[in-house]
């Protein structure tokens, strides 16, 4: 009887070992995103759609702008067709979530590479640079950030400018907006005294509307990168995007895209 008990115990241990070593559940391996894109035949790109000249809808509801041109070039490089892009609108506040959950393959949206963001997502090498600036009404007495004490300053939620203002102008009242369009309207209507963000984005408002002006001082350096999910599955994709950016830089394609869209 005792012997039988021992046999059962040994048999049980053998079964456990067999289960752990042989029929162990397969580890979840994330599919390589580059391979998935090749198989799918399109790239899902998150882009700002209210941020002229980087990303906006034209009259036929096609997405246009600097970042859209960049996305089409990346599609040409990876999939051999500039039209192999599906654009999805993102905002500065939701784009990190959308790329880190895998809902989008990448985000191309005037996105600054920062150490804090690099803790959560991956970036390509920089494709351009901007600097934080102030947009004010043309008749404003404001000349720099030092004049903003006690005044209302508009930012777009989720931008680097929103975060930077806490240290750059701690005594001004920061008012957050959903997008640039509503923030610009608030500036025109006198609800805010200044709007702060990248010079590349704000310069278009000043160019198109003589009632507002872009002040000359810059308060940060903003390297723009293409955002990817922070995962092994995006290693090959990042390598290809970096190659594509270097190729565009070598052939002066980025300079041409910049000249086509920016008024700086
Ligand atoms: N470059 C800034 C950032 O990444 C502003 C970008 C934007 O408004 O989309 O926060």
């Amino acid at each position: 009887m005792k012997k039988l008990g021992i046999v059962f115990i040994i048999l049980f241990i053998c079964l456990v070992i067999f289960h752990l070593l042989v029929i162990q559940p397969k580890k979840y391996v994330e599919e390589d995103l580059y391979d998935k894109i090749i198989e799918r035949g399109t790239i899902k790109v998150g882009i700002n759609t209210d941020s002229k000249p980087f990303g906006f809808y034209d009259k036929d509801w096609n997405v246009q702008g600097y970042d859209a041109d960049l996305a089409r070039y990346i599609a040409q490089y990876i999939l051999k067709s500039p039209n192999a892009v599906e654009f999805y609108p993102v905002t500065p506040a939701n784009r990190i979530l959308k790329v880190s959950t895998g809902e989008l393959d990448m985000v191309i949206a005037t996105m600054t590479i920062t150490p804090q963001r690099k803790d959560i997502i991956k970036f390509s090498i920089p494709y351009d640079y901007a600097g934080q600036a102030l947009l004010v009404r043309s008749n404003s007495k404001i000349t720099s950030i030092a004049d903003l004490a006690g005044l209302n300053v508009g930012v777009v939620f989720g931008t680097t400018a929103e975060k930077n203002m806490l240290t750059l102008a701690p005594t001004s009242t920061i008012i957050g907006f959903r997008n640039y369009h509503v923030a610009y309207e608030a500036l025109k209507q006198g609800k805010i005294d200044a709007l702060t963000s990248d010079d590349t984005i704000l310069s278009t408002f000043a160019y198109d509307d003589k009632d507002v002006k872009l002040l000359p001082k810059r308060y940060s350096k903003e390297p723009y990168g293409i955002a990817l999910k922070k995962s092994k599955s995006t290693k090959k994709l990042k390598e290809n995007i970096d190659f594509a950016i270097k190729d565009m830089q070598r052939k002066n394609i980025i300079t041409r895209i910049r000249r086509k869209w920016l008024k700086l």
Side-chain angles (χ1 to χ4, degrees):
M1 200 62 192
K2 207 176 160 192
K3 264 191 192 161
L4 205 72
I6 293 170
V7 170
F8 267 122
I9 291 171
I10 293 173
L11 219 99
F12 179 73
I13 294 172
C14 287
L15 262 169
V16 170
I17 294 173
F18 180 75
H19 184 82
L20 285 177
L21 296 181
V22 183
I23 38 180
Q24 184 191 26
K26 283 205 179 71
K27 276 203 194 107
Y28 175 67
V29 183
E30 227 181 313
E31 194 184 342
D32 184 90
L33 191 54
Y34 180 83
D35 294 346
K36 201 166 154 181
I37 288 171
I38 300 286
E39 204 180 300
R40 194 198 298 134
T42 57
I43 310 177
K44 295 180 184 177
V45 176
I47 192 162
N48 287 330
T49 47
D50 86 309
S51 187
K52 212 173 173 181
F54 285 93
F56 61 96
Y57 290 113
D58 65 14
K59 58 177 180 12
D60 302 319
W61 290 97
N62 292 314
V63 182
Q64 302 293 356
Y66 182 134
D67 284 336
D69 279 0
L70 201 66
R72 291 192 179 102
Y73 188 87
I74 302 273
Q76 168 67 41
Y77 192 86
I78 294 177
L79 292 165
K80 313 291 167 239
S81 163
N83 300 320
V85 187
E86 295 168 39
F87 286 114
Y88 295 87
V90 293
T91 66
N94 71 17
R95 57 194 174 189
I96 290 184
L97 191 72
K98 284 183 185 268
V99 77
S100 56
T101 54
E103 187 182 326
L104 300 171
D105 298 330
M106 63 186 74
V107 166
I108 311 183
T110 55
M111 199 163 174
T112 303
I113 305 168
T114 70
Q116 292 85 347
R117 287 176 178 168
K118 276 170 90 176
D119 282 343
I120 326 170
I121 49 172
K122 203 185 264 186
F123 281 102
S124 68
I125 55 168
Y127 63 87
D128 212 328
Y129 292 85
Q132 190 182 336
L134 290 174
L135 186 77
V136 295
R137 287 182 293 280
S138 296
N139 57 5
S140 170
K141 298 264 179 307
I142 298 167
T143 59
S144 78
I145 254 172
D147 300 332
L148 296 180
L151 299 183
N152 292 335
V153 185
V155 294
V156 170
F157 286 124
T159 58
T160 43
E162 180 190 15
K163 192 164 168 289
N164 295 349
M165 286 310 277
L166 301 174
T167 43
L168 286 172
T171 56
S172 55
T173 305
I174 309 299
I175 301 181
F177 293 90
R178 250 187 1 263
N179 58 46
Y180 288 98
H181 188 70
V182 273
Y184 165 69
E185 285 307 321
L187 178 68
K188 297 272 286 176
Q189 292 162 12
K191 292 180 185 159
I192 51 174
D193 302 292
L195 169 60
T196 183
S197 186
D198 300 351
D199 51 0
T200 46
I201 298 169
L202 298 180
S203 60
T204 300
F205 291 107
Y207 187 84
D208 290 344
D209 177 1
K210 294 295 156 233
D211 290 342
V212 293
K213 61 181 176 189
L214 187 70
L215 298 181
K217 288 206 174 111
R218 299 294 175 264
Y219 302 94
S220 67
K221 192 168 186 195
E222 312 270 339
Y224 286 168
I226 296 177
L228 301 166
K229 182 176 181 176
K230 194 170 178 169
S231 143
K232 267 193 196 150
S233 65
T234 56
K235 187 173 180 286
K236 213 193 304 177
L237 184 58
K238 177 182 154 50
E239 281 166 5
N240 274 274
I241 293 173
D242 287 349
F243 272 132
I245 293 174
K246 280 182 199 155
D247 188 55
M248 280 188 273
Q249 283 165 341
R250 223 183 2 254
K251 295 177 181 157
N252 280 328
I253 292 170
I254 299 225
T255 314
R256 260 182 272 145
I257 296 178
R258 195 173 219 278
R259 276 204 210 116
K260 175 177 168 192
W261 294 108
L262 296 193
K263 315 281 192 239
L264 278 177

